[in-house]
Amino acid sequence: MKAALTIDALEVNFGGFKAVDGMTSVIDDGELRVILGPNGAGKTTLMDLVSGKTASTGGKVHLFGRDITNWPEHEIARAGIGRKFQIPSIFRELSVLQNLEVAVSQEPRVFRNLRLGIPTADRKRIDEVIDLTGLEPVLETVAGDLSHGQMQWLELGMLITQQSRVILLDEPTAGMTQGETSKTADIIMRLKGSHTIIVVEHDMAFVRKIAEKVTVMHMGKLLAEGPIKSIEADPAVREAYLGTGGLH
Amino acid sequence: MSNKAFLLGDRAVYIAFIVIVLGLPLLVDDVFWLNRVARYLVFGMLGIAMALSWGYAGILNLGQGLFFGVGAYMVAMSLKLQSWTSMQQGSDTPVPDFMLWNAQPGAPTDLCCIVPGSWLWIPFQAQWFGIFMAIALPVVLALIIGATIFRLRVSGVYVAIITLALVLLTRLIFIDAQPITNGFNGLTDLGWLTVGGIEFDPLMVGTYYIVAVSVCIVLLLTRWLVSTRAGLILQSTRDDANRARYLGYDVASYQIFFFTVSAAIAGFAGLLFVIVSEFATPTYFDIAFSISMVVWAAVGGRSSLIGAAIGAILINTIEATVSESEMFQQAWRLIIGVLFVLIVLYMPRGLAGLARDLLARLVALGRGKQADSAKASRNPAE
Ligand SMILES: Nc1ncnc2c1ncn2[C@@H]1O[C@H](COP(=O)(O)OP(=O)(O)O)[C@@H](O)[C@H]1O
Ligand SMILES: [Mg+2]
């Protein structure tokens, strides 16, 4: 199978402390990968390195064979990586529809965007995403007034309208009610296949529901990788989670 | 939603504004009064430029006077050379009077070398060069300043501090270059703008129309600009620059573009102001003037282009009325200062926001009545 994202011996050194330390993993095209690890394992930092928020100090990131290591954020985004943050990051003073309209444009340049209206193809994609996320009733609402769950779905929806081939989700269900979590799982399941998705998640019920292959990080390194069943039985994983409450 | 009502209300305000501005000379034939209105319209244009950068881009430019002043000086240099006194210095080509006062004994009466640096004035003998530079120089300066600060991802209050420092620096430069700028006194005793043989006396109705039409065009153009996709993306960078980056936009290029457009409008305003007021002085680079622009936009509503324009016109009208009384003149600054603080704290959308809230209430009221009458007409049938 074709590799979507190749993380190769990636490393970042924060003044002597390596938050990510020689991490290696290959994520296949269309795969849904869950990343687990105790607090401080370096999961968020790994996403920062892949998406360009933090510059790595060693190793490589390849996207569909293209070396995107340490590119500027907007170029990595244009290359096909979409990122959802732990704290919802949306345009709070714009309406929900406007948020999606910003996300949908495939034209990054200022002068090319000096035009009114949205092309039909883009409009269609926005409609599809509205369907998928169920944001129809709040389209005209200012995004800052949405509920926490709706904000998370809007941000997720923006990544889909953006047509990111690889989507990074950092704890997408954090702070959600059970109902909201289950709806989020549904959305993610529907994206499976058409997008490559990498999810960092703590909620094991949620993980068991969506996961195929799981990667466990510990102290910035790869600890274990494989199907969820074998991971849960892995003694090294149990060891890493000792004292942190373990996998549950 | 009541979006339609807002759109209609918005359109009505634009149309009313344009009709009033263009129709005013038909109602008033006091040329002095019209000239005064023309100046306020220029300030209205500055309000638009401020709303564009502060309201839409989230860039609080506390040095907008830099671009206004540079625009003003550029065209004033050309008009100075067209003045009667400049023609009367006993040379073949015009030379500004103040250069003679500063010249070393024996220096030739010619722009080439009457005082050090006077050669910079040579191309300004062509009026069109001054007009061109009044917009081109602010644009170039804004590109350089914008590219530097936005590529370095400077934001928020730091942008305000840097722009403030730059306008002060410019003020120093213009005062310091006294032999070629006439220092504190600035450029006065200017000639009139001449287009196609017509001299535009500041007290002519035609001159009023140059300003009025310019303001309307700038208003509609910026309105179009913020409605484009680029305008929407700009607003998204204001809300969350990082999110915009992770959607694939080079945030700095949007900031630089709109910062520069705002500067071009300010330069254009400077040009127009010189045409109606016949002088250019370093007071344009005073901090107080740049901060006034922020106050106008805040009062009118920084996220509304026309709101900011109306805010500027309104405040200047009140100020002019009030300053006729000695006592109020003193109190005015205090009043404006307090007003500014109150508006920023309690009415961040200014007068435009107030108007929208009123409209929303009216719509709701109308809906209520409709619902009531619908109920009333249904009830008997039941
Ligand atoms: N910019 C930074 N400078 C220094 N240390 C950092 C920085 N960012 C993250 N860290 C540290 O790196 C470690 C991993 O953090 P993080 O990636 O957020 O963990 P996780 O998301 O797995 O909980 C933590 O100990 C954190 O304090
Ligand atoms: Mg984290």
Side-chain angles (χ1 to χ4, degrees), chain B residues 14-314:
Chain B
Y14 271 79
I15 292 172
F17 180 87
I18 292 171
V19 167
I20 292 173
V21 165
L22 295 182
L24 212 53
L26 304 177
L27 303 174
V28 188
D29 53 6
D30 178 349
V31 284
F32 291 96
W33 197 81
L34 272 186
N35 177 268
R36 198 190 256 183
V37 174
R39 293 179 198 209
Y40 301 160
L41 289 181
V42 172
F43 294 147
M45 200 185 261
L46 287 174
I48 297 170
M50 186 52 70
L52 184 64
S53 76
W54 186 24
Y56 281 87
I59 300 164
L60 179 53
N61 181 354
L62 283 188
Q64 190 78 318
L66 194 170
F67 304 119
F68 178 87
V70 166
Y73 266 89
M74 290 301 108
V75 78
M77 284 164 78
S78 273
L79 295 184
K80 179 76 186 167
L81 292 178
Q82 283 180 25
S83 76
W84 189 77
T85 46
S86 299
M87 305 287 191
Q88 300 302 310
Q89 305 300 343
S91 56
D92 299 339
T93 51
V95 176
D97 47 6
F98 65 85
M99 286 192 187
L100 271 97
W101 313 332
N102 287 299
Q104 296 286 334
T109 307
D110 191 291
L111 280 181
C112 76
C113 28
I114 177 164
V115 289
S118 61
W119 56 269
L120 283 168
W121 279 65
I122 292 174
F124 288 90
Q125 291 177 63
Q127 178 191 275
W128 293 113
F129 185 77
I131 290 175
F132 169 74
M133 287 300 281
I135 299 187
L137 192 53
V139 162
V140 170
L141 290 174
L143 279 176
I144 295 170
I145 297 170
T148 313
I149 60 183
F150 299 127
R151 289 271 168 236
L152 290 173
R153 295 198 186 173
V154 176
S155 66
V157 67
Y158 297 100
V159 175
I161 293 170
I162 292 171
T163 47
L164 191 82
L166 286 173
V167 73
L168 282 183
L169 180 71
T170 314
R171 183 172 178 273
L172 270 181
I173 293 172
F174 272 78
I175 291 174
D176 223 43
Q178 200 259 341
I180 55 168
T181 61
N182 205 18
F184 276 110
N185 299 318
L187 305 177
T188 52
D189 182 25
L190 306 181
W192 292 339
L193 177 79
T194 313
V195 183
I198 305 171
E199 292 199 307
F200 282 90
D201 175 346
L203 295 179
M204 238 170 66
V205 175
T207 311
Y208 172 85
Y209 270 115
I210 290 184
V211 175
V213 170
S214 301
V215 171
C216 293
I217 291 175
V218 164
L219 182 63
L220 293 176
L221 266 180
T222 42
R223 170 74 194 205
W224 169 76
L225 214 49
V226 297
S227 326
T228 62
R229 265 189 281 166
L232 185 63
I233 294 163
L234 176 77
Q235 294 172 63
S236 82
T237 69
R238 168 201 65 199
D239 281 8
D240 192 332
N242 255 330
R243 175 35 78 209
R245 279 187 196 108
Y246 291 107
L247 289 178
Y249 297 109
D250 178 15
V251 170
S253 67
Y254 283 82
Q255 291 172 321
I256 295 167
F257 176 75
F258 283 93
F259 181 75
T260 305
V261 171
S262 173
I265 296 173
F268 187 36
L271 181 167
L272 293 172
F273 197 72
V274 166
I275 292 172
V276 292
S277 69
E278 295 181 276
F279 63 85
T281 79
T283 55
Y284 299 161
F285 302 117
D286 284 355
I287 291 186
F289 184 51
S290 289
I291 289 183
S292 298
M293 297 180 206
V294 176
V295 177
W296 302 338
V299 170
R302 65 183 187 224
S303 45
S304 160
L305 299 169
I306 196 158
I310 291 174
I313 296 165
L314 214 60

Side-chain angles (χ1 to χ4, degrees), chain A residues 51 53 73-74 77-78 83 85 89 91-94 102 105 108-109 111 113 115 117 140 155 162, chain B residues 3 153 224-225 227-230 232-233 236 238-240 243 245-250 253-254 257:
Chain A
S51 64
K53 183 163 189 248
E73 300 98 314
H74 68 275
R78 285 287 151 197
R83 161 123 195 230
F85 290 88
S89 164
F91 306 121
R92 291 174 166 269
E93 287 183 42
L94 302 183
V102 172
S105 177
R109 283 165 295 184
F111 288 98
N113 277 320
R115 57 184 63 183
E140 298 297 332
E155 196 181 6
Q162 185 192 356
Chain B
N3 253 347
R153 295 198 186 173
W224 169 76
L225 214 49
S227 326
T228 62
R229 265 189 281 166
L232 185 63
I233 294 163
S236 82
R238 168 201 65 199
D239 281 8
D240 192 332
R243 175 35 78 209
R245 279 187 196 108
Y246 291 107
L247 289 178
Y249 297 109
D250 178 15
S253 67
Y254 283 82
F257 176 75

Side-chain angles (χ1 to χ4, degrees), chain A residues 39 43-45 86 170-171 200 202:
Chain A
N39 260 329
K43 305 178 297 289
T44 299
T45 308
Q86 218 164 322
D170 200 353
E171 305 198 18
V200 167
H202 283 302

Side-chain angles (χ1 to χ4, degrees), chain B residues 333-344:
Chain B
R333 282 193 178 228
L334 189 71
I335 295 172
I336 278 291
V338 172
L339 187 70
F340 177 64
V341 172
L342 288 180
I343 284 196
V344 166

Side-chain angles (χ1 to χ4, degrees), chain A residues 37-58:
Chain A
N39 260 329
K43 305 178 297 289
T44 299
T45 308
L46 180 69
M47 291 199 161
D48 289 347
L49 295 175
V50 171
S51 64
K53 183 163 189 248
T54 305
S56 59
T57 51

